[in-house]
Amino acid sequence: MWLLVFRSAVRPSKHLSASPSFQRCAITSWTRENLHKRECCFFEKGVREDVCRCGYLKTDHVDEAIKPEDFTGEYWDKHKHVREVPTDAFGDISFGDLGQKTGKYARVSTDASPEILYELLTEQWKLSPPNLLISVTGGAKNFFLKARLKNMFNRGLIKVAQTTGAWILTGGTHTGVMKHVGQAVRDHALSNSMQGQIVAIGVATWGIIHNRDALVHSEGCFPAHYETDIKGQGRLSCLDNNHTHFLLVDDGTQGHYGVEIELRSRLEKYISGKRLGNKESGVTIPVVCVVLDGGPGTLNTIYNAMLNGTPCVILEGSGRIADVIAQVAGLPLARVTIALIHQLMKKFFGQEYENFTHLKIIEWTKKIQDIIRMSHWLTIFRISEDDHGDVDVAILQALLKASRTSETLGIESWKRQLELAIAWNRVDIAETEIFTEESQWKSSDLHWAMFSALVGNKPQFVSLLLENGVSLRDFLQDEDTLCELYKQLPSGIFLRKLAKRVHSSCRRRRKALRIRPRARSGQGEPISMTHVSDEVRHLLGSFTHALYPPSMSYHFDVSTEATSVSLSKSPTGSQSLFREDDADAQRDPGRDLFLWAVIQNNKQLAEIAWELCRDCMSAALAASKILKTMAEEGSDADEAEAMRELANHYEKHAIGVFSESHNSDEERARKLLVRVSPFWGKTTCLRLALEADDKSFVAQSGVQALLTQIWCGELSVDNPVWRVLICMVFFPLIYTGFLVFRRDEVLHREAEKKEEIKTMEKVTGSTLRTNSRSLGVKRLKPLSSWYRLVHLYSSPQATPSAGELLLYIWLLSLVCEEVRQLFYDPDGFGFHKKARMYINELWNILDVLSILLFIIGLAFRLTTELFYAGKILLCIDFVVFCLRFMAIFTISRTLGPKIIIVRRMMTDMFFFMFLLSIWVVAYGVAKQGILIHNDNRLEWIFRGAVYEPYLTIFGNFPTNIDYAAFDLDSCSMNGTDPLKPKCPVLNENQTPAFPEWLTITMLCVYLLFANILLLNLLIAIFNFTFQTVQDNTDRIWKFQRYELIKEYHSRPTAPPPFIIFSHFYLFIRSMALCRPPVMSKEFKSELPQMEEEELLSWEALMKDRYLLSTQQEQSQSMERRILDTSQKVTTITDRLEREEETGSAAVMQRMARLEEQVVQSAKALQWIMDSLKCQGFAGKEAQPLTLTTTDESPDTLRNASEKEDGFHVNARQLHYPNSKLTRFPVPDEKVPWEVSFSSYMPVYYASEDSGDHVDGSESEAVGNYRNPGGRTGIRGRGALSHLGPNRNADLVLTRMRDSERSVLEYLVVWDERHGTLALPGGPLESPDHLPVALKKSMGKLLYEKINAKVSEGTKVLEGYVDDCRNTDNAWLEITVLNIHLDRTSQLMVDINSMVASSRGALQWREVSGKTRLGSNQRDSLRQVAELHNRKF
């Protein structure tokens, strides 16, 4: 009730929010409040009289902008004369093409907050947060892609977006790379209409959109009809009709491209800072940049993206800058020269190369070198390489490669990669890139991943994790894990029923404790695993025991609908859910996971868990029962059908395992059927199959053989029936071997085995096998004469149906037997269910009916007045007894299935009678009304209206409807004769007055429909029923045979009426002696622990055999062969296409290598010639080689190659730190001062924030200092304190953590300005003293004590430092000093006191590779570790 009330309370708001008009009003209000556009507020004519400097026409401006009083006398400035107003272009956009594509769009300002835009995408446009952001960039103009590369790009991009749930971010226009992305999205939409939509977001400039006026409306357009006019767009661009969402960036101008770049970059950075998946995840949303084609602008985008930590994937063969980078990516940096970039630019840019200046080439060379140097952020997709696969694999591998470069290596790095792979649901990437020999995983390290894969419904990852070391027992050892899994159950019938159970349980507890219900709060209702156990027991049946013992309480949050139920732990203490010493709480983690998967109808996860179950056959049958029960109780027809299919699937699994077991060992297989399963409520497989109505399982030959064995008792199943009947009369024949007993068969088999063993002993001469087999085997003895006689008459097969001597005593014995059957409950169903099962059985209904009729008839018979009525009742009772007698035929293999068919036909005939009665009554009443006038005798009216028309169907035609056959003597004129019917209406001449033609016509029509049509319809129905049921009758009969055998097996041995003595004995035993009933072990037996374990191990082996045979059948099926053949043909086709495309490329590559070797040879010869000239060996005709370029001499190449490893990198970063300056680009080959660089023109910079410099003017003193590392691209002292060397010192204080000297630690300080850890240090004023800056962090007293030990320290490093603040005339030099302290020294005590009181400003950290320090300080710490012989 509580759930229904709550649902009714929330339903109106849901309908309101779901209405389109409400959504439009909500998004309009939100958009106008949060989104803005930019418009010019000052018209100043530009190139044309009617065009403003902003690019818009004069008519596009508001009236206030034409003659503004505020800006009189000013010149137009974009930053001053453009204002923000609420946006007027948003809503839905329809392109009107085939398929009626509809997307979302909004016009936003360049200053829009990325947070607002992200809210627009996720909250207003209802996009799910991405697991990956793919930023596609490249050529904005149309370019050609080879067919193979285009197909691979389209297929890979869509695959990675679909499998990972990624957003694709592009420029959004119908040109260049954006057009290719749109085509990929279109192809996916056409071929996968039923799958999820690919999210392609276009971020375009509003001022360059063609036909943008159609998007403008102050209240939004729902939808706006946009026309893609490629021919008439001119310099503008049309939106791509295949993108799904558009952000149109407006800066108030028109016709200027690239306005959106800054906002797009900020949006990407904001999204990359959001948490991946749930908020608890420590991984942020990854971003990857995919590059096709592109020009210099694309190079800048790649460079900035990699500086910001965004990995880039470049497609080789797409053209221009992408191919330039791809060509040099695999080369050593020394070979990436200005000349090579000139050559490649000319090759790939064609005519555009003529517009490139030499300075630009130098700048691009520097950027390309930096890009290559950041190889961990760069991935080249080469179509000629087989190991890359598709583009999707290259994209994901690039992200994983980038995540490995983190300085904190080890398990944390692998964990981040695995978390990404799980979020993307790419098990192939995890298998090849993460679970490698390099990664060492423990089971506990993967528990979080296992939980994420289970809750996220990623079965492939569950299998992969189990294969790579996850122990399911360890994973589910903690009760919190299992409860958390139930907390995360998806919405479904089980969750709703569980919520109701929890609420009703809490309500009963509150009533018992008289606690007033609290107001609804976030705390929720308490729950325990007992609630789950009770609900599962309800699904399985009350005959089972609880699967989980009573455990600690949990909070079940039902503050929302049942579809959002959550659990939280109650602070009532800790108690283990699975206690090892609890005999009733036997645990199988495979069972726990399998049950969790089955109740949510998850086939793939359930299949994995079932393979891990110890008691697999019981698990499969229990799943069948649970799913069928949920299907019956559920309201969703599709969900119920899926549950029935899964139930049938697990019934087949149970059949397969049992068949494999029965083929291997029949005796063990029978034990599996009747053994008590401690994991599934202490019930048996046979009982579960019967409750689940698994007819196919029960119909197996092995199950039927067990039932036959139980039916025969101790008699052998091979005894003919006639021998049994003869022995019942002449019982002494049982001592002659006329009948075979099961004990005799067992003894005979054992004797044969002994003979075989003796034969083997004679051959091998070994007695070890005999002794090993004889250990622990209980020897069987032959049956005694008395037990042979008892087993003959106690066998259910031999129960006689003797005639009663006294009818009343016999009847009383039957009544007692029916009462005993009603109350006899060996399976623990409970009285209510037992009573329902009793009444639902047809034969029991006939039993009760026959007994009631006999009692009533006997009472009437003993009364003189009702003697005849009693006789009639007893006659009817005899009919019922005869029908009941058919039950004995159900055991017959021949007659049993036929009785099932008869029962089905009786059902068909019952419904057919309704149809037939319409014709009978219609004809009978009409005939009676025409013939007879006012007959008031009810019995004769019934005969005429119903009885006679019914007899007519079978050929008894009436004589009173035909003049010729009418006989006046056969009727009574006034209806006074009770033995004759009333005569029809007569004329004056005593002839019938009814119209003869009408009555005869009515009879003909009646016979035509009733006798021909309807009876043949009945025959057809019977035929259809017979054909339908015939195939299943044998299975149904075998299923029902169990109940008959169990009924007779449970009955006392003596036949009626002597059975009354057995009833007296049972009554005295239970009531007077209070002894429990004797439980039969034929249908349910508990095995010893050792035998139980051995049987389960054998069952697991049979399960593995079954699964192996199933896999072999699938692999050999025709469908699988066709699929394999198709894949092979596709692979061969791709290889042939690749060889065809790469054949010419290979030749060109060889020619390029040959040309390069010729160039190098020419340079070497030129150097030799120059050397000879210097020595006076000049030739007659010196012909200089012209293969070198300006500023590049042989000396240049030689010096560059010699100093390649010594080039500073950080000192040449293009963006100087803490300033807006950009360094002059210095490629690697131009770093040494010895190399000529005539184009070198660095800017001068001296920061005003730093202090001292050399005496005199700085500009004059600059020439006196030159950076020993080479050129940096900037002159002056920069951000350093003075020109020349700026000496700093880093202090590395180390100690041993404990007396065992196992861990080396060092002291770090917290840098509040940068928010990082760093080594203590500062500017060095004297080489014999520590930096004065240490006084601030360590205190004056401690500083002096440490300073006194400087002489005892060891200089680890001293010299030039590659720092980003270095310039041509100022640089850093560092001295790293290591002072190792004794743990017991007073100085150590003082430092520890300072660390304790510093509140985190000073910390001791372990010396290891996981250290979070800068690159230079990490190198220093590595050398300290080597000094102390420690692994870094």
Side-chain angles (χ1 to χ4, degrees), residues 93-137:
I93 181 171
S94 174
F95 292 93
D97 298 335
L98 294 177
Q100 293 294 320
K101 304 181 186 67
T102 302
K104 304 283 187 182
Y105 77 99
R107 177 182 181 183
V108 298
S109 170
T110 52
D111 295 332
S113 168
E115 184 177 1
I116 294 295
L117 297 181
Y118 187 75
E119 182 180 352
L120 170 68
L121 293 168
T122 56
E123 300 295 334
Q124 302 301 322
W125 288 351
K126 307 301 180 184
L127 291 179
S128 300
N131 293 322
L132 171 63
L133 185 64
I134 305 173
S135 179
V136 184
T137 187

Side-chain angles (χ1 to χ4, degrees), residues 1203 1206-1213 1216 1223 1226 1230-1235 1240 1242 1261-1280 1282-1286 1359-1373:
K1203 297 188 178 183
F1207 294 158
H1208 48 205
V1209 177
N1210 296 330
R1212 291 185 291 131
Q1213 291 181 0
Y1216 194 80
R1223 298 178 188 265
V1226 181
K1230 299 299 182 181
V1231 172
W1233 294 106
E1234 297 82 1
V1235 177
Y1240 185 57
V1262 161
N1264 300 328
Y1265 299 94
R1266 193 162 68 170
N1267 192 315
R1271 298 183 178 93
T1272 64
I1274 192 168
R1275 297 172 61 245
R1277 60 180 172 83
L1280 297 177
H1282 54 267
L1283 295 173
N1286 291 255
Y1360 177 79
V1361 177
D1362 183 13
D1363 191 271
C1364 58
R1365 295 170 292 176
N1366 290 354
T1367 68
D1368 287 352
N1369 313 110
W1371 61 93
L1372 278 179
E1373 291 184 358

Side-chain angles (χ1 to χ4, degrees), residues 701-713:
S701 59
V703 181
Q704 294 302 308
L706 172 65
L707 297 179
T708 303
Q709 179 178 306
I710 296 173
W711 173 255
C712 294

Side-chain angles (χ1 to χ4, degrees), residues 241-258:
N241 58 345
N242 296 306
H243 282 62
T244 58
H245 302 78
F246 295 93
L247 295 176
L248 308 178
V249 184
D250 183 16
D251 68 339
T253 64
Q254 177 183 249
H256 296 91
Y257 283 84

